[in-house]
Amino acid sequence: MAISDLFPTKTSAVIFISYMGLFINQGLLVTASKRPDGKFNYNATTVVLMTEVLKLCLAAFLHLKDTTVKETLITIRQNLQVFGLYFVPAVLYAVYNNLAFVNLGHYDPTTYFILLQLRVVVTGVIFQFLFNKHLSRIQWASLLLLMVGCAVKNLHFLSPTAAPAASAAKNATSISHNSHNPTGLHFDLHLLYILFQVFASCFAGVYNEYLIKSHGSVAVPLMLQNVFMYVDSI
């Protein structure tokens, strides 16, 4: 597959690279801003709210570049049902964004991003059955490999031949852990938060695509649909 097939224009390539840069730097910046105990000196919910306000302003600006306020109000009145439908992905994305702070407060960025790739597996399965988009054997093998990698990254194996802990506190913790978990495997409760975040992201993305395709960019312009979702999020 040629690069031109993935990025038909230079603008699409720049947008993709910019998105990846912002996505990765979000995790790094959030991690850099947390305290040693995993908490933050600011209200994470307020940060999410202000981010939605910023995206709302940007989407509204881009929409109003090609139309007028009067025409926009008419379109909104004619599509109040679409506005209501966007409550579903808006709530899911709001949950996803808040859980990002919770999970980054517990995991390091590398672990967080690896586990978050489970949404690729979930999205692949959803598209396979709901949108009738059949995946090839190579794609299924890639999803399986990704799922195994995520599982291995989350499981912590306690070596029976490991050297004694340096402190009595660590020894006590290790003995207590082994007495309750003789298999040597430790399941992290925060993985449930990651899974919830993954499913929220996948279902919101699929539902959002359904709304865009079902209502189209002709009846409701794409940027106006973004405005709907950001207003619902706020």
Side-chain angles (χ1 to χ4, degrees), residues 158-176 178:
L158 301 178
S159 175
T161 60
S167 65
K170 289 186 177 181
N171 283 330
T173 302
S174 178
I175 294 173
S176 175
N178 287 327

Side-chain angles (χ1 to χ4, degrees), residues 103-104 106-117 150 153-154 156 188 194:
N103 291 324
L104 282 169
H106 179 75
Y107 293 109
D108 61 89
T110 302
T111 303
Y112 171 76
F113 286 124
I114 290 177
L115 294 178
L116 204 60
Q117 295 312 305
C150 293
K153 183 65 178 71
N154 188 68
H156 305 282
D188 195 344
I194 284 284

